[in-house]
């Protein structure tokens, strides 16, 4: 029977170890290193949801921007050796990083990809007290008399630490890339029932088999250093924000568009993959882009009645249409406010095309700001503070908090709209002999041209998740609907019909009925 003092040491060692076991012992049980439908190939690398917060969210490992994390990850043993990713990439100065459960990788132009000295970095950041109390990791020596010695001499001396503990030594050298993966041994603590070895990039825990706390083999566990690095506050919060599977990007919601495939211009809908084609309106005579309400339950559009184009709203299935405007002018291009209470629209009722807003029931119609010039294609910002529109060849924003309605020209083009998070805009611009699709930051800076086809590409709109853009193109000698990622890749034609399909609108947010419909049905013809 152990003495009281020894039993207390065992209990203290156990308490210190439990925090680490949450990462080094319990984590392997939660994140089993086996094939799982939670991971899948992506166009840029591989997506893993195993270490994400749930709900299909996770992290992607890629070779993008000429930083081959994905290639290196595979060559280093993949998830078996490094664990699953627990962060996206992040950068600090010339360094780019990505954290995994059992390692943190770093990249520079000069050195390429190497393993980070995780516990040295935590120590330099003053996290040793936290490591001791929260993870049970031994404190490093205050100083070491190694100056002037070669690396080979230092390595030989450090490896002697392993010789006292054969179980740890065997586990250490079982990894043929032990120096890359673990770095140099730093310090060891013998706590009786538990022996803890701190290295530069890993912590080893030996549970002695003859102790009261004996564990079934293997008795040596290796810390999840990437989790220690993350939980020690060393990774920016934005890098630890899990992302949806990139394969699902731009596949949610529902697309509405105008088509004359039934012999008249009517409103149709389909899934973002081009399935479940449904005709919403039967009257014909529709014009201008439609727009979904924020809750996805209603849709706004324009139709020709009583000598002019008027604005209507209807249920998401086309039922219960309601006429909101009643003039002999053209009232069109209606767009819902983010709270669903108002619509902004263009109207020629004064002889010029001007921008108005009205309540969702058609009342309280009012003009917005300085209206000089031909104004059209208005759209609301996601935070409700701005309206963006086209004035001639300019893209203009107006701040709704400004009582004067002062306008600011931010770019050139037409048919602008914001991304769902408000950080970017998309628009079409005449280049050479045709329109092409562009994206830019919300202030018009950092623009990127997404299409370069000699035929017109226009009417761009973001997907509800902001990952893709839908647009109409005449590249097939008639109008068809396409989607493309924000980097210009993964161009897909969604419709394929001799009639014209154009003016897409992407429903947001995802409705429950869409989940049941997604991926079913056949491609529309």
């Amino acid at each position: 029977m152990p003495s009281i003092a020894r039993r207390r040491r065992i209990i203290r060692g156990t308490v210190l170890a439990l925090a680490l076991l949450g990462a080094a012992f319990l984590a392997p049980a939660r994140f089993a290193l086996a094939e799982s439908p939670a991971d899948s190939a992506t166009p840029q690398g591989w997506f893993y949801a195993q270490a994400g917060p749930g709900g299909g969210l996770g992290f992607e490992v890629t070779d993008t921007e000429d930083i081959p994390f994905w290639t290196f990850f595979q060559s280093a043993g993949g998830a078996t050796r490094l664990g699953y990713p627990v962060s996206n990439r992040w950068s600090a100065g010339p360094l780019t990083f990505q954290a995994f459960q059992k390692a943190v990788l770093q990249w520079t132009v000069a050195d390429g990809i190497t393993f980070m000295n995780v516990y040295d970095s935590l120590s330099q950041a003053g996290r040793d007290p936290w490591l001791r109390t929260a993870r049970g990791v031994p404190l490093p020596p205050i100083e070491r008399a190694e100056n002037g010695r070669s690396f080979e001499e230092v390595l030989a001396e450090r490896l002697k630490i392993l010789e006292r503990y054969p179980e740890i030594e065997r586990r250490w050298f079982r990894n043929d890339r032990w120096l890359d993966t673990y770095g140099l041994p730093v310090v060891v603590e013998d706590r009786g029932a538990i022996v803890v070895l701190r290295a530069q990039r890993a912590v080893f825990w030996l549970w002695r088999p003859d102790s009261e706390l004996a564990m079934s083999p293997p008795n040596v566990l290796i810390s999840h250093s990437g989790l220690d690095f993350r939980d020690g506050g060393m990774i920016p919060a934005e890098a630890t924000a899990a992302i949806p599977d990139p394969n699902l990007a731009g596949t949610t919601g529902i697309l509405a568009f105008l088509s004359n495939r039934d012999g008249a211009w009517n409103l149709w809908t389909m899934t973002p993959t081009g399935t479940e084609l449904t005709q919403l309106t039967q009257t014909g005579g529709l014009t201008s882009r439609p727009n979904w309400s924020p809750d996805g339950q209603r849709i706004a559009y324009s139709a020709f009645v009583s000598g002019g184009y008027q604005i209507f709203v209807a249920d998401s299935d086309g039922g219960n249409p309601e006429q909101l405007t009643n003039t002999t002018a053209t009232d069109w291009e209606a767009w819902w406010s983010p709270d669903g209470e108002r619509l902004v629209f263009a109207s020629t009722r004064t002889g010029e095309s001007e921008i108005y807003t009205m309540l969702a029931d058609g009342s309280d119609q009012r003009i917005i700001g300085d209206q000089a010039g031909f104004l059209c294609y208005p759209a609301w910002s996601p935070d409700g503070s701005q309206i963006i529109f086209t004035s001639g060849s300019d893209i203009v924003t107006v701040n709704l908090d400004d009582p004067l309605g002062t306008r600011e020209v931010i770019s050139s083009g037409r048919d602008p709209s914001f991304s769902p998070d408000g950080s970017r805009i998309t628009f079409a611009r005449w280049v050479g002999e045709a329109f092409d699709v562009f994206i830019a930051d919300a202030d018009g800076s950092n623009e990127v041209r997404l299409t370069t086809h000699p035929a017109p590409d226009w009417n761009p709109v973001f997907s509800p998740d902001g990952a893709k853009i839908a647009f109409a193109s005449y590249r097939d000698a008639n109008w068809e609907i396409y989607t493309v990622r924000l980097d210009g890749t993964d161009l897909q034609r969604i419709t394929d019909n001799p009639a014209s399909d154009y003016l897409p609108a992407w429903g947001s947010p995802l409705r429950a009925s869409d989940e049941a419909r997604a991926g079913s049905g056949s491609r529309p013809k």
Side-chain angles (χ1 to χ4, degrees):
M1 184 73 176
S3 67
I4 293 177
R6 176 171 170 73
R7 291 171 64 186
R8 286 176 177 170
R9 287 197 301 271
I10 291 173
I11 291 172
R12 283 197 299 270
T14 303
V15 171
L16 288 172
L18 284 178
L20 178 109
L21 290 178
F25 180 63
L26 299 179
R30 180 184 176 192
F31 307 126
L33 297 178
E35 291 186 5
S36 168
D39 61 83
S40 59
T42 68
Q44 307 294 333
W46 208 273
F47 174 79
Y48 295 90
Q50 288 90 338
L57 299 176
F59 305 95
E60 187 181 14
V61 189
T62 73
D63 286 343
T64 56
E65 299 178 351
D66 296 324
I67 303 176
F69 277 137
W70 169 235
T71 298
F72 186 93
F73 176 73
Q74 296 176 88
S75 67
T80 302
R81 287 277 176 86
L82 276 63
Y84 297 114
V86 296
S87 81
N88 302 303
R89 296 180 179 192
W90 77 96
S91 295
L95 291 165
T96 299
F97 306 89
Q98 186 161 16
F100 301 80
Q101 289 172 316
K102 301 178 181 180
V104 178
L105 301 181
Q106 61 185 23
W107 174 90
T108 64
V109 173
D111 299 327
I113 297 177
T114 57
F115 287 84
M116 173 190 282
N117 290 336
V118 169
Y119 292 99
D120 289 354
S121 296
L122 283 162
S123 184
Q124 292 165 7
R127 302 293 198 274
D128 278 329
W130 175 82
L131 282 172
R132 179 72 176 181
T133 57
R135 293 293 199 254
V137 176
L139 298 175
I142 296 176
E143 58 182 58
R144 212 185 282 272
E146 294 177 341
N147 291 337
R149 304 177 67 183
S150 68
F151 175 77
E152 289 73 18
E153 291 173 329
V154 172
L155 176 60
E157 185 66 26
R158 297 281 192 97
L159 291 178
K160 288 181 180 179
I161 297 175
L162 305 178
E163 295 176 358
R164 288 179 283 165
Y165 306 101
E167 298 92 342
I168 294 178
E169 185 179 39
R170 285 193 296 269
R171 184 65 183 274
W172 181 283
F173 289 114
R174 197 163 69 189
N175 184 342
D176 56 1
R177 298 185 62 172
W178 53 267
L179 184 58
D180 286 338
T181 309
Y182 308 139
L184 300 180
V186 174
V187 67
V188 66
E189 278 189 6
D190 191 334
R191 300 172 185 167
I194 305 170
V195 177
V196 187
L197 171 72
R198 173 174 176 159
Q200 291 177 301
R201 303 167 185 170
V203 176
F204 287 69
W205 291 73
L206 166 63
W207 297 75
R208 285 200 168 98
D210 58 348
S211 71
E212 289 186 353
L213 301 177
M215 299 173 63
S216 59
N219 290 322
V220 177
L221 301 175
I222 302 176
S223 67
H224 279 38
S225 59
L227 295 182
D228 287 349
F229 196 75
R230 181 197 67 186
D231 297 345
M234 300 292 286
I235 303 177
E238 59 269 22
T240 61
I243 62 172
D245 184 345
N247 291 309
L248 301 179
T251 62
T252 60
I254 189 167
L255 275 166
F257 61 100
L258 292 189
S259 178
N260 62 351
R261 60 181 61 205
D262 69 334
W265 289 106
N266 275 301
L267 189 62
W268 298 70
T269 62
M270 61 183 171
T271 67
T273 55
T275 62
E276 291 293 316
L277 187 70
T278 303
Q279 184 174 346
L280 294 193
T281 62
Q282 309 292 330
T283 58
L286 270 65
T287 188
S288 86
R289 60 187 178 183
N291 183 249
W292 293 99
S293 62
D295 62 6
Q297 299 303 306
R298 307 201 80 190
I299 191 165
Y301 58 92
S302 291
F304 189 84
V305 292
S306 304
Y309 285 101
Q310 307 301 317
I311 294 173
F312 289 75
V313 295
D315 293 343
S316 59
D317 61 359
N320 300 313
E322 179 183 359
Q323 183 175 340
L324 299 188
T325 63
N326 186 14
T327 70
T328 57
T330 294
D331 293 340
W332 63 331
E333 300 292 338
W335 193 285
W336 295 86
S337 64
D339 60 10
E341 294 184 359
R342 299 188 73 86
L343 293 128
V344 63
F345 63 100
S347 177
T348 62
R349 60 186 64 182
T350 65
E352 298 285 343
S353 182
E354 300 172 324
I355 304 298
Y356 291 75
T357 69
M358 61 181 168
L359 289 173
D361 63 2
S363 63
D364 191 29
Q365 297 183 21
R366 60 178 74 168
I367 199 166
I368 297 295
D370 176 10
Q371 296 292 305
F374 186 86
L375 312 183
C376 57
Y377 301 113
W380 231 296
S381 66
D383 64 2
S385 67
Q386 289 182 311
I387 289 174
I388 191 170
F389 56 91
T390 298
S391 175
S393 61
D394 292 331
I395 294 176
V396 180
T397 58
V398 59
N399 187 340
L400 296 179
D401 294 329
D402 180 357
L404 299 178
T406 305
R407 301 189 295 179
E408 180 181 1
V409 177
I410 63 171
S411 189
S412 63
R414 62 188 302 173
D415 208 359
S417 60
F418 286 94
S419 62
D421 65 1
S423 66
R424 309 187 86 173
I425 59 172
T426 185
F427 54 93
R429 178 187 294 158
W430 185 267
V431 181
E433 299 296 325
F435 282 101
D436 280 314
V437 173
F438 289 75
I439 58 172
D441 291 345
D443 61 1
S445 63
N446 300 317
E447 68 176 40
V448 177
R449 184 178 175 182
L450 294 188
T451 65
T452 58
H453 200 277
D457 298 327
W458 72 327
N459 307 135
V461 64
F462 283 94
S463 61
D465 60 8
K468 285 187 176 182
I469 286 176
F471 64 96
S473 177
Y474 202 74
R475 62 185 64 195
D476 306 297
N478 72 318
W479 290 107
E480 302 284 4
I481 307 296
Y482 283 74
T483 62
V484 66
R485 293 182 184 269
L486 302 192
D487 60 1
T489 63
D490 194 25
L491 180 72
Q492 297 185 29
R493 186 172 70 177
I494 305 303
T495 61
D496 185 4
N497 190 277
S500 292
D501 302 321
Y502 76 132
L503 293 168
W506 212 322
S508 176
L510 173 67
R511 295 168 295 157
S513 59
D514 299 334
E515 292 182 327
R517 291 166 45 165
S520 63
S522 58
R523 182 182 181 85
K525 300 297 185 183

